[in-house]
Amino acid sequence: MKYRIQSKDGHKIVDLNRRKAIRERCLNCSAWVNKEVANCSFQYCVLYPFRSGQGKQIPKDRNSAIKKYCLWCMNDQRSEIKKCTCPDCPLFPYRNGGIDRSQNTPVLSKKGDIGLNFEDKTKTQYQSMA
Ligand code: SF4
Ligand code: SF4
């Protein structure tokens, strides 16, 4: 699913799934430094076993880890998870167990990338100012 998430430079559109969502969440948590994710010292974080985004993962456990992480994020208030106001968090569509497609549907350009469209426009603006 094409989805708009937070990135080092703002936002980006990625082909999201649960495996990638956890990886992106961990990168965000570690200031987008791959090495920091690999060397994460919070072994009790529920996302820890899934942080590399690689290797064999048990889908049921991964799903459960996302829900537990969101519960932790919402200070153990289960009812708040559904009301989360961060649709650009990579875990957002998976926070309730299923896939929430109600938010953050990217508006795709002809090239299929809203970010590319924006960059092109910015470049044109700078070129015309030079
Ligand atoms: S496992 Fe938890 S603490 Fe470690 S990088 Fe991922 S989200 Fe952060
Ligand atoms: S989806 Fe919402 S509740 Fe879950 S980790 Fe992200 S910000 Fe927190």
Side-chain angles (χ1 to χ4, degrees), residues 63-130:
N63 212 8
S64 170
I66 291 174
K67 287 198 283 182
K68 283 180 186 165
Y69 187 87
C70 287
L71 189 59
W72 167 80
C73 177
M74 288 296 174
N75 208 17
D76 285 334
Q77 296 181 72
R78 199 169 293 278
S79 61
E80 293 301 313
I81 298 174
K82 203 170 185 177
K83 299 179 206 161
C84 172
T85 54
C86 302
D88 55 359
C89 171
L91 299 184
F92 185 92
Y94 310 113
R95 71 197 189 287
N96 289 316
I99 302 179
D100 181 351
R101 298 177 195 272
S102 65
Q103 302 264 346
N104 199 332
T105 305
V107 180
L108 297 175
S109 70
K110 280 179 189 166
K111 291 178 182 173
D113 187 338
I114 191 172
L116 189 62
N117 232 8
F118 175 74
E119 281 171 17
D120 285 347
K121 213 172 178 180
T122 309
K123 269 181 205 157
T124 312
Q125 276 173 352
Y126 283 137
Q127 277 159 4
S128 64
M129 285 164 68

